[in-house]
Amino acid sequence: MHTLNELLLVCSLVLLVAVAAVRVSSRSGLPSLLIYLGIGVAIGQDGIGNVVFDNAELTQVIGYAALVVILAEGGLGTKWKEIRPALPAAIMLSLVGVAISVGVTAAGAHYLVGLEWRQALLIGAVVSSTDAAAVFSVLRKVPLPSRITGVLEAESGFNDAPVVILVVAFSTVGPVDDWYVLLGKIALELAIGAAIGLAVGFLGAYGLRHVALPASGLYPIAVMAIAIVAYAAGAMAHGSGFLAVYLAAMLLGNAKLPHWPATRGFADGLGWIAQIGMFVLLGLLVTPHELVRDFWPAVVIGLVLTMVARPLEVFLSLLPFRIPWQEQVLMSWAGLRGAVPIILATIPMVSGIEGSDRVFNIVFVLVVVYTLVQGPTLPWLARKLDLGQSMETASDLGIESAPLEKLRGHLLSFAIPPASRMHGVEVSELRLPSGASVTLVVRDGRSFVPAPTTVLQHGDELLVVATDPVRDAAEARLRAVARGGKLAGWLGTGNGSASH
């Protein structure tokens, strides 16, 4: 019991420090992964805690579980309208781009550093996966055009699947399969994973929209459970579980589910916990004094990856899409590596591949060094290329929907954000469809029933009751006014034809 209490105390302290580090990360512009890795290194071997931890298999299992949660959270936050135009480019980057990156990086590791071909191919495959969390944690203050964010976000969600397949293939004891066999395996696993992910996501969204759960707190749990079921089903069917969970979560995230803001906040919190635990554990697995001899090889391989492989990958993959060179430059520099490469580097360690410890050390150093270099300079580069958008862009409404099952209706609630163009609009000018009405406004802690001439203000919280047939139309109209103001219908930003 005494040992258990000490363990709980240490875990709680680490979690509190890591949560506080989120604030430091957001202010400094550094991706949070570096701070969490630093915590793990600090309490591990050669650190102040001197905790000896070398269980690569346990790290891999926990890392996979954390990745499932992180991919689910990323999929839930992916807006279909933003990534739909970018989907072909993202798929090309995730397939053709990964192949280019693996080949070029492996060649650099073999000819410049002197690694054997298997080790070189392992490193090339491991570091070919980009990390959305690392990219967007340093771009919070510089919003980018939707085409860039759509490509980067979809690429980071899609490229995990082929990379995992390649790493597992290269980590198999014995000869590696021929390239056409690997290509067939990748195509088959991706097809199975995509089919299962889409099926589970569609069925899960349909069920949650048509079955009222007894408590609102069950909706976030149900959404995450459905996403995890997609991963498990995909993996058991010998498909890509990572692609399945991402696609299922993306469908759920765009299905206008009940109590969506609460679900989104719950998933976001789980994602943070998964990242914190995963990075601290990876930091514990590292033996700092062994990193010294692999520092310069990691720097050289990182240079090949960053300055040659990634730009070549972006240029060749996006050649058919005529994307401006400025956007290609930013996408090349935004290929940050985060949690996935370090976790994937544990696969050859578990398989007992010769030289796998060195592969892990090189990947660890590469991720840390180039995140330090690329992370803080990404916002600067975006501004230099004139790709940063104004922070005053109207933000979307976070509308929460609660089903009123017996009344065959829905209660929509939301707050008007600071940049919303709904500020200054009269209630009657919302022009909600027949069957929907603003029933209550909360302003400065005081609630009142609005009149048709009541002028809405920033910070107002509104309750809207809508019958089941017009629920979607009412939500679409509210979002349109939030983006385009009272003239949204005439400006083409929403459905303004339906009057109240």
Side-chain angles (χ1 to χ4, degrees), residues 114-188:
L115 295 179
E116 296 180 357
W117 271 115
R118 184 188 286 268
Q119 297 175 3
L121 286 169
L122 274 171
I123 290 179
V126 163
V127 299
S128 293
S129 180
T130 56
D131 188 282
V135 172
F136 292 109
S137 67
V138 298
L139 289 175
R140 292 187 186 113
K141 297 181 181 180
V142 187
L144 296 175
S146 59
R147 178 163 65 176
I148 298 179
T149 57
V151 171
L152 292 174
E153 190 170 354
E155 179 200 9
S156 64
F158 293 157
N159 65 12
D160 291 343
V163 166
V164 169
I165 296 169
L166 287 175
V167 174
V168 171
F170 295 148
S171 300
T172 303
V173 178
V176 180
D177 291 330
D178 293 326
W179 66 269
Y180 53 85
V181 176
L182 284 177
L183 190 62
K185 287 182 177 179
I186 290 174
L188 180 60

Side-chain angles (χ1 to χ4, degrees), residues 30-42:
L30 289 175
S32 54
L33 73 92
L34 295 180
I35 299 176
Y36 306 146
L37 283 173
I39 293 173
V41 172

Side-chain angles (χ1 to χ4, degrees), residues 75-84 153 250 254 396:
L76 291 173
T78 299
K79 296 181 179 179
W80 174 244
K81 65 180 180 181
E82 291 185 1
I83 74 161
R84 182 175 56 186
E153 190 170 354
M250 186 170 66
N254 288 272
D396 199 6

Side-chain angles (χ1 to χ4, degrees), residues 188-359:
L188 180 60
E189 292 193 23
L190 291 180
I192 294 174
I196 290 178
L198 293 174
V200 171
F202 175 79
L203 292 175
Y206 180 84
L208 288 176
R209 284 176 61 88
H210 290 82
V211 177
L213 298 179
S216 60
L218 292 176
Y219 282 91
I221 299 174
V223 168
M224 291 302 296
I226 292 170
I228 294 171
V229 164
Y231 170 81
M236 291 176 65
H238 301 288
S240 172
F242 291 117
L243 182 60
V245 67
Y246 183 77
L247 290 177
M250 186 170 66
L251 278 179
L252 291 167
N254 288 272
K256 299 178 181 178
L257 299 178
H259 304 289
W260 177 242
T263 301
R264 189 72 187 91
F266 178 77
D268 193 41
L270 278 185
W272 277 112
I273 293 175
Q275 287 190 61
I276 292 170
M278 178 175 57
F279 289 135
V280 171
L281 195 62
L282 290 171
L284 278 172
L285 189 62
V286 171
T287 304
H289 70 263
E290 294 181 358
L291 300 178
V292 178
R293 71 184 179 105
D294 294 317
F295 179 82
W296 289 114
V299 171
V300 172
I301 296 173
L303 276 175
V304 174
L305 172 67
T306 307
M307 307 306 295
V308 182
R310 177 65 180 180
L312 196 61
E313 166 191 355
V314 171
F315 174 75
L316 293 179
S317 300
L318 302 183
L319 201 57
F321 303 102
R322 298 181 179 179
I323 294 179
W325 69 268
Q326 295 95 331
E327 296 184 13
Q328 292 192 37
V329 169
L330 187 63
M331 289 181 193
S332 298
W333 195 245
L336 289 179
R337 272 66 190 171
V340 179
I342 303 178
I343 292 173
L344 295 182
T346 64
I347 295 178
M349 295 176 68
V350 175
S351 300
I353 298 298
E354 183 180 355
S356 57
D357 290 343
R358 191 178 186 199
V359 170

Side-chain angles (χ1 to χ4, degrees), residues 364-429:
F364 188 91
V365 173
L366 187 154
V367 169
V368 171
V369 170
Y370 284 91
T371 301
L372 279 171
V373 173
Q374 293 173 267
T377 57
L378 265 175
W380 172 84
L381 181 61
R383 289 190 293 268
K384 286 295 181 182
L385 295 172
D386 292 328
L387 294 176
Q389 294 182 329
S390 171
M391 290 296 290
E392 297 302 322
T393 303
S395 54
D396 199 6
L397 288 179
I399 299 179
E400 180 162 357
S401 173
L404 305 172
E405 190 176 22
K406 293 182 179 180
L407 301 178
R408 296 185 58 80
H410 295 265
L411 180 64
L412 309 179
S413 62
F414 63 92
I416 301 178
S420 175
R421 293 191 175 93
M422 194 177 285
H423 175 80
V425 175
E426 294 184 3
V427 170
S428 62
E429 293 173 329

